[in-house]
Amino acid sequence: MTYLAKPKFHHPSLPKNDIGFTRRDYEASTSTLCAGCGHDSISAAIIEACYQLSIEPHRVAKISGIGCSSKTPDYFLGASHGFNSVHGRMPSVLTGANLANRELIYLGVSGDGDSASIGFGQFAHAVRRAVNMTYIVENNGVYGLTKGQFSATADRGSKSKKGALNSDSSIDLVAIALQLGATFVARSFSGDKGQLVPLIKAAIQHKGASFIDVISPCIAFNNHAGSTKSLDYVREHNEAVNALDIMVGRDPITVNYAPGKVAAVTQHDGSVLNLRKLNDEYDPHDRLAAMNFLQRHAAQGQIVTGLLYVEADADDLHSNLDTVERPLNQLDASSLCPGAAALDKINASLR
Ligand SMILES: Cc1ncc(C[n+]2csc(CCOP(=O)(O)OP(=O)(O)O)c2C)c(N)n1
Ligand code: SF4
Ligand SMILES: [Mg+2]
């Protein structure tokens, strides 16, 4: 892949986070995407979230498939581990890496084509297995990289750039993630950094499968009248149900809320999610009600965004499999091969 390196020079007065890194330390090579592509805004939000969380870049593994969206890990966290896999195969590569080394923070970056078509089965199984990851789909409703064919998330009746009507029903990855048991489910918009950054921070802090569907307009092939993934359409139909502030560790409490308007959710690692209700009816702890709410609003053409579901004390694949605390890739031969007597005992228990 060709890329343009960014100059390494840092202005000495750039602000630093708790571990002494500037935002520049979370950047990578210069983006080669079309100017104005929603995906670049998502990369910027990931950089901001990691900077604010004071994550050491070497603790992150960013894994993607194929597509304009899947190219983006080249444009953020240049000092992190990265693997640009095969189209639709990010979830299985991420699952394998996560099983081998549970100590890294896993960031799965995918597209709507990558996750809702060729990788649909892979997406489903990684989510239902509760792999500890933040799975981000950069959803533009088209195969951007291959010049704008409808993807499986394109709404029925929406128009292509050349005027063709999409006659297929669409797949809503948020609805599917809820059905599959994801324990953190959100939807956002690439043009709403204020909403997206705290969602990414909370998803990273969440233990278990976190899924974020980010509507990310494709400026080149899906930003016209008749598209339901264009900038104008998303701005006009965005129905945010809540606004999130996340407090991690010793973060000072900087916001005052009107009584009854905020629900505080403490996650596994002690981080606190303060959810300001924008819709009184919406309860992000009720999976069934969330599914119902989403379907009803989708039928009215609305795009529901915000933290849609969270199960704060969820478990992940490692807890479910009862794996050892030590990463498997650090176990020595004696732990991996406990000897013939142990094998005899296992065999005896199976007879
Ligand atoms: C196995 C395989 N099949 C098909 C392709 C061709 N291909 C490359 S990217 C892509 C679709 C990308 O769409 P999406 O995941 O939505 O990403 P976007 O470019 O829209 O961000 C396809 C079909 C491929 N590279 N590999
Ligand atoms: S083709 Fe679309 S998705 Fe790809 S970089 Fe350009 S605007 Fe972004
Ligand atoms: Mg796409």
Side-chain angles (χ1 to χ4, degrees):
M1 197 180 286
T2 53
Y3 68 92
L4 300 171
K6 270 197 184 151
K8 290 260 184 283
F9 179 71
H10 287 193
H11 194 281
S13 64
L14 281 183
K16 292 185 173 144
N17 62 14
D18 289 349
I19 55 169
F21 286 115
T22 68
R23 284 180 177 79
R24 297 290 310 273
D25 294 314
Y26 295 87
E27 293 178 349
S29 54
T30 305
S31 171
T32 57
L33 301 186
C34 307
C37 175
H39 300 350
D40 278 334
S41 307
I42 302 173
S43 299
I46 293 172
I47 289 171
E48 184 62 26
C50 293
Y51 168 80
Q52 287 185 16
L53 285 176
S54 293
I55 289 174
E56 294 165 296
H58 72 270
R59 290 197 50 234
V60 178
K62 38 178 193 161
I63 300 175
S64 62
I66 297 288
C68 298
S69 36
S70 292
K71 281 169 69 175
T72 62
D74 234 20
Y75 314 138
F76 58 82
L77 299 182
S80 299
H81 304 275
F83 195 92
N84 188 203
S85 73
V86 178
H87 196 26
R89 272 49 164 208
M90 175 276 281
S92 56
V93 174
L94 188 152
T95 304
N98 182 302
L99 275 173
N101 187 355
R102 60 191 295 168
E103 281 185 348
L104 296 180
I105 295 165
Y106 288 92
L107 209 53
V109 178
S110 183
D112 41 316
D114 201 58
S115 281
S117 290
I118 193 167
F120 196 39
Q122 295 242 338
F123 157 76
H125 292 290
V127 169
R128 68 180 265 278
R129 286 184 180 131
V131 178
N132 190 14
M133 61 182 171
T134 297
Y135 191 133
I136 297 177
V137 167
E138 306 191 344
N139 185 356
N140 53 20
V142 288
Y143 298 166
L145 191 70
T146 55
K147 306 253 177 274
Q149 303 85 351
F150 284 127
S151 81
T153 66
D155 288 309
R156 185 175 199 160
S158 60
K159 245 187 210 169
S160 75
K161 194 174 177 181
K162 291 267 163 82
L165 281 181
N166 180 27
S167 55
D168 298 339
S169 295
S170 70
I171 292 175
D172 180 353
L173 291 172
V174 155
I176 305 283
L178 283 168
Q179 197 278 322
L180 290 166
T183 47
F184 182 107
V185 181
R187 177 177 277 137
S188 191
F189 169 43
S190 59
D192 189 349
K193 203 173 172 186
Q195 183 190 53
L196 184 55
V197 172
L199 283 174
I200 295 173
K201 285 169 68 180
I204 290 175
Q205 298 294 118
H206 180 77
K207 181 182 175 192
S210 303
F211 176 71
I212 313 180
D213 180 48
V214 190
I215 312 289
S216 175
C218 170
I219 298 305
F221 299 111
N222 205 10
N223 197 34
H224 45 268
S227 157
T228 57
K229 301 276 192 289
S230 67
L231 279 166
D232 286 348
Y233 187 92
V234 182
R235 281 197 193 114
E236 279 159 24
H237 296 81
N238 190 344
E239 175 79 22
V241 288
N242 48 38
L244 175 68
D245 291 300
I246 172 165
M247 279 174 258
V248 185
R250 289 169 285 111
D251 274 3
I253 297 174
T254 51
V255 255
N256 286 320
Y257 303 107
K261 275 286 180 194
V262 171
V265 183
T266 305
Q267 298 208 103
H268 220 277
D269 65 339
S271 58
V272 177
L273 312 182
N274 279 321
L275 273 171
R276 251 176 306 140
K277 279 192 172 212
L278 300 178
N279 181 313
D280 282 339
E281 198 199 325
Y282 199 82
D283 176 8
H285 304 292
D286 186 337
R287 190 184 288 274
L288 215 62
M291 290 163 90
N292 217 312
F293 187 96
L294 284 167
Q295 297 287 334
R296 260 190 296 127
H297 284 73
Q300 293 159 14
Q302 282 159 341
I303 303 169
V304 177
T305 60
L307 177 53
L308 305 175
Y309 180 74
V310 63
E311 203 176 304
D313 55 356
D315 278 328
D316 76 333
L317 180 64
H318 281 282
S319 329
N320 296 342
L321 294 181
D322 198 19
T323 56
V324 287
E325 284 298 320
R326 197 151 160 219
L328 301 188
N329 66 347
Q330 290 171 25
L331 295 180
D332 58 18
S334 64
S335 316
L336 290 169
C337 180
L343 184 61
D344 286 346
K345 210 168 144 194
I346 292 170
N347 283 341
S349 75
L350 297 172
R351 284 197 184 101

